[in-house]
Amino acid sequence: MTDAQETAADSSLRTTGGAPPDEGVTGVSVEGTPTPLLEPRDGIPPVVADQEALAQVIAAFAAGTGPVAVDAERASGYRYGQRAYLVQLRREGAGTALVDPVACPDLSGLGEALAGTEWVLHAATQDLPCLREIGMVPSAIFDTELAGRLAGFPRVGLGAMVESVLGYVLEKGHSAVDWSTRPLPEPWLRYAALDVELLVDLRDALEKELDRQGKLEWAREEFDAIASAPPAPPRKDPWRRTSGMHKVRRRRQLAVVRELWTTRDRIAQRRDISPGKVLSDGAIVEAALAVPANVHALTALPGFGHRMGRRQLEQWQGAVERAKALPDVELPQPGQAVAGPPPPRSWADRDPAAAARLSAARAAVSALAEGLNMPQENLITPDTVRRVCWEPPSDLTPDAVAAALTTHGARPWQITQVTPALTRALATPAP
């Protein structure tokens, strides 16, 4: 039994901090089966949709105590972009709040009221960008998903963590609904409120487990890195991420993908709908492979069937024609220029010594991660390992390797754990 499994089996960790039905009662029944959590302990709060109600929430949460549980619901697959359509919060002394960021688009006052407070989120990197857009930026976080990874839990989804650690089953049936819907149905609001119901309780249990495993300071370094990270820069050539791009090899075909993707993105943004609802990636790739001569030929391709109107078809064919008219010097190059080392599959031919270093380093990191009971990518990112193996320090000492890891953004705890094994791997002789 792993440490994480022992944690899940330890009923002393299944403390719910006043969770229903009674103070101190865990979610595990007499038979040991998890208990469904069907209602928030304080009921479903009204949705905050005006400035007066928002001011009351700000005052209540400013007066609350302890960490604040925070979650956000987006409308991925329905709307353009990743904006928040509902923000859920819960704090001791303030209860639960459901805030509509469409009706209240500036939540900087709420963010300021929580300044200096630890925010508890699950998979924080997913929610922080959309929270930042509405003025909510934490100074300190506790990420329960990342905590679960570091502690070695095999399943780290919110529902799985709440069930294994706290003994309650969360209803997850509304995770993929269109949260831009107004008014939001009551079952959705109940689901949203339950998502933050036990988040602080889960945080407290995971903190104890991380401390027991000697990993709490590691987790804190990871949380600080997430909270202090700047916003991600815009992707370069995002059209290259079109699903099925591996089929497209000729430069003229790549230009068709680019033109269709750009046209689709512009339409989706204007109409505020998911790009996939405007035109599928599969249709873009089919058009790129065929490079149709006219609208009639385009209509025969998958994704451009009879349901599409003549005006739409002409719009897509216009994008194809623009790609066809480009001079050769303006055509995109195959592949995407990337900073750093080439793909590892080419190392054996290009640099056999580097390939040997990478193989040894991967084996060392894998063994170390297994011993620490955590995923390899949380111990040290694969990209960091590749970069150090491709261009190792000239002086293969622990200090030099540690400095290289620091340059690539590794945290102090990672450097301490990985440096000895990586230093040995980098000394692997060429075949």
Side-chain angles (χ1 to χ4, degrees):
M1 180 180 287
T2 66
D3 289 342
Q5 288 170 330
E6 290 176 359
T7 296
D10 185 356
S11 62
S12 68
L13 281 177
R14 286 175 171 155
T15 55
T16 58
D22 298 307
E23 184 74 28
V25 177
T26 72
V28 183
S29 69
V30 175
E31 295 80 14
T33 57
T35 300
L37 189 61
L38 303 177
E39 291 289 338
R41 69 191 81 174
D42 303 321
I44 304 173
V47 176
V48 175
D50 59 58
Q51 293 304 311
E52 181 180 353
L54 179 60
Q56 294 175 358
V57 165
I58 291 173
F61 275 79
T65 59
V68 57
V70 182
D71 190 22
E73 305 294 347
R74 298 176 297 278
S76 304
Y78 298 94
R79 294 289 183 175
Y80 185 87
Q82 294 294 317
R83 67 172 294 184
Y85 283 94
L86 186 70
V87 175
Q88 309 101 280
L89 308 98
R90 183 172 179 83
R91 192 180 191 191
E92 184 69 27
T96 298
L98 304 178
V99 183
D100 181 358
V102 177
C104 303
D106 182 6
L107 298 185
S108 57
L110 181 56
E112 292 168 3
L114 297 171
T117 300
E118 179 190 87
W119 295 21
V120 184
L121 304 103
H122 193 82
T125 54
Q126 295 183 18
D127 287 340
L128 288 178
C130 69
L131 291 170
R132 184 182 290 114
E133 288 180 356
I134 53 179
M136 296 186 66
V137 183
S139 56
I141 70 164
F142 190 106
D143 186 334
T144 50
E145 185 205 44
L146 181 52
R149 291 180 181 277
L150 295 176
F153 282 82
R155 298 167 59 226
V156 294
L158 179 59
M161 294 293 290
V162 167
E163 181 175 339
S164 63
V165 177
L166 302 179
Y168 283 96
V169 178
L170 291 178
E171 194 277 311
K172 301 298 291 182
H174 301 300
S175 59
V177 299
D178 181 3
W179 288 95
S180 67
T181 301
R182 292 296 183 273
L184 287 166
E186 182 176 292
W188 299 12
L189 297 175
R190 179 181 298 105
Y191 158 88
L194 289 173
D195 261 6
V196 292
E197 181 79 4
L198 298 178
L199 207 49
V200 172
D201 303 284
L202 179 60
R203 171 235 180 272
D204 292 344
L206 289 173
E207 182 179 59
K208 292 178 182 178
E209 175 62 12
L210 288 168
D211 190 39
R212 185 181 76 82
Q213 294 187 24
K215 299 176 181 176
L216 184 55
E217 289 304 317
W218 303 359
R220 286 172 176 162
E221 288 184 23
E222 292 298 297
F223 301 157
D224 288 345
I226 293 173
S228 61
R235 291 187 182 276
K236 183 180 180 182
D237 294 342
W239 58 271
R240 291 184 183 271
R241 296 176 62 83
T242 303
S243 180
M245 275 290 291
H246 63 281
K247 303 175 186 177
V248 183
R249 303 187 182 279
R250 297 178 182 176
R251 293 178 65 196
R252 187 71 58 183
Q253 294 173 330
L254 290 171
V256 173
V257 172
R258 183 174 64 185
E259 287 293 334
L260 285 170
W261 189 98
T262 303
T263 300
R264 179 185 70 173
D265 193 67
R266 185 171 59 248
I267 295 169
Q269 187 171 15
R270 186 181 71 243
R271 294 170 56 188
D272 190 20
I273 60 174
S274 170
K277 290 186 175 296
V278 177
L279 187 68
S280 70
D281 280 10
I284 290 178
V285 170
E286 290 291 340
L289 295 175
V291 191
N294 49 45
V295 169
H296 179 72
L298 180 70
T299 307
L301 299 177
F304 298 93
H306 64 279
R307 294 182 180 180
M308 192 171 287
R310 178 75 183 185
R311 183 177 177 182
Q312 290 176 295
L313 289 167
E314 290 176 347
Q315 173 180 258
W316 302 127
Q317 185 61 31
V320 173
E321 295 300 329
R322 288 193 296 275
K324 290 163 65 175
L326 287 174
D328 288 350
V329 295
E330 295 183 17
L331 295 177
Q333 294 293 333
Q336 186 172 9
V338 294
R345 62 179 178 272
S346 68
W347 287 26
D349 294 329
R350 297 182 59 173
D351 190 338
R357 291 192 295 266
L358 181 62
S359 178
R362 283 174 164 172
V365 169
S366 177
L368 187 56
E370 184 175 354
L372 293 172
N373 192 29
M374 69 172 64
Q376 296 180 39
E377 62 271 19
N378 292 115
L379 174 59
I380 191 75
T381 67
D383 181 66
T384 296
V385 175
R386 286 194 296 268
R387 288 173 183 269
V388 173
C389 288
W390 184 252
E391 294 184 348
S394 56
D395 185 13
L396 291 179
T397 64
D399 286 347
V401 172
L405 291 172
T406 301
T407 299
H408 294 302
R411 264 71 70 191
W413 77 270
Q414 295 175 314
I415 295 169
T416 299
Q417 295 298 316
V418 170
T419 293
L422 198 55
T423 301
R424 292 190 294 271
L426 292 173
T428 301

